[in-house]
Amino acid sequence: QVQLVQSGGGLAQAGGSLRLSCAASGRTLSSYFMGWFRQTPGKAREFVAAISRSGSSTYYTDSVKGRFTISRDNGKNMVYLQMNSLQPEDTAVYYCAAGSNPTYGGGYSILADGYDFWGQGTQVTVSS
């Protein structure tokens, strides 16, 4: 299995940028497709972005398309979420996740149930 440790996040102003990092240890990261999710109090965990094992395919929820970029460096066992043009509605706890069995054609999953391992979560707060 794999352990995921997140870093980054914090406070940003509307229009600003933040980058989230997710470091994997244990099994090599290239064995998993990866995703980022976010959650606000009282709501279900929401899909944000996913990337295939090789990094050749990515997918985003509509609200972040053109603003967020998911990427991975399998050699460094790292996954990133670059967040630009942040908006107050992006405020949430963000989670990285690793999955083994893709359920989407691009080689990943867009459902939380499709992921096997999760990071600890990191708070992102965007002020207006």
Side-chain angles (χ1 to χ4, degrees):
Q1 58 183 20
V2 65
Q3 294 79 42
L4 303 175
V5 177
Q6 298 176 223
S7 59
L11 179 64
Q13 291 187 332
S17 298
L18 288 171
R19 188 174 85 155
L20 305 182
S21 299
C22 179
S25 61
R27 193 172 176 185
T28 181
L29 193 64
S30 60
S31 299
Y32 302 94
F33 60 89
M34 301 295 295
W36 287 95
F37 288 75
R38 63 188 180 187
Q39 190 169 23
T40 54
K43 292 188 176 182
R45 202 162 289 190
E46 175 193 21
F47 169 80
V48 176
I51 189 166
S52 60
R53 290 185 179 92
S54 67
S56 62
S57 181
T58 59
Y59 188 80
Y60 300 89
T61 193
D62 285 346
S63 62
V64 308
K65 283 180 182 176
R67 301 189 298 121
F68 290 12
T69 302
I70 186 172
S71 62
R72 66 190 298 161
D73 185 336
N74 286 340
K76 295 182 178 180
N77 271 1
M78 295 291 296
V79 178
Y80 307 97
L81 185 68
Q82 178 67 42
M83 304 184 292
N84 298 329
S85 301
L86 282 162
Q87 302 167 4
E89 48 266 39
D90 295 318
T91 296
V93 176
Y94 283 72
Y95 297 88
C96 68
S100 303
N101 299 305
T103 57
Y104 211 69
Y108 38 73
S109 178
I110 63 172
L111 299 176
D113 287 349
Y115 291 81
D116 305 302
F117 306 102
W118 293 84
Q120 81 277 17
T122 187
Q123 178 71 45
V124 170
T125 303
V126 184
S127 63
S128 57

